[in-house]
């Protein structure tokens, strides 16, 4: 019985080695992992954009209430400081 069992094991191994199914499966797995990684990056971008949309929609609501547009903060000129953190007089 063991001779027949060994024969079929060797036959199965020879058949499996003659196919390229394992190489195709390995390539498909590698491709799937790469696509999943790209999807994670895109989802992070979508999350960031969604947060921005929420923030801007709050601005629209504030505008509807009559509040002024916040916009950018005004530029302020600061005096230069020396290394010992004392302002330079001009």
């Amino acid at each position: 019985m063991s001779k027949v069992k060994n024969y079929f094991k060797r036959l199965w191994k020879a058949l499996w080695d003659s196919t390229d199914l394992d190489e195709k499966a390995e390539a498909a797995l590698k491709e799937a992992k790469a696509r999943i990684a790209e999807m994670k990056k895109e989802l992070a971008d979508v999350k960031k954009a969604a947060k921005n949309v929420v923030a801007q929609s709050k601005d629209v609501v504030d505008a509807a209430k009559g509040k002024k547009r916040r916009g950018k903060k005004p530029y302020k000129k600061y005096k230069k400081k020396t290394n010992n953190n004392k302002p330079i007089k001009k």
Side-chain angles (χ1 to χ4, degrees):
M1 183 83 174
S2 65
K3 286 184 179 183
V4 174
K5 187 176 178 181
N6 284 336
Y7 171 76
F8 282 114
K9 280 185 178 180
R10 285 185 289 139
L11 179 63
W12 179 254
K13 186 175 185 214
L15 287 173
W16 188 253
D17 288 342
S18 67
T19 63
D20 58 348
L21 288 177
D22 51 343
E23 288 89 8
K24 287 181 182 178
E26 194 173 298
L29 182 63
K30 185 177 179 181
E31 178 70 22
K33 285 182 179 180
R35 288 184 183 189
I36 289 171
E38 288 298 319
M39 286 174 56
K40 284 182 181 179
K41 289 178 187 176
E42 289 298 324
L43 284 173
D45 289 343
V46 169
K47 181 180 175 183
K48 185 177 178 182
K51 284 183 180 181
N52 191 17
V53 167
V54 170
Q56 289 191 4
S57 66
K58 288 178 184 177
D59 292 343
V60 171
V61 172
D62 289 343
K65 291 179 182 177
K67 293 184 180 179
K68 291 186 178 181
R69 185 174 180 185
R70 291 184 307 192
K72 291 184 178 181
K73 294 182 180 178
Y75 176 76
K76 293 182 181 178
K77 292 184 179 179
Y78 295 102
K79 293 182 179 179
K80 292 183 181 180
K81 294 183 177 181
T82 61
N83 289 339
N84 57 4
N85 294 331
K86 293 181 182 177
I88 298 174
K89 295 181 182 179
K90 288 188 175 183

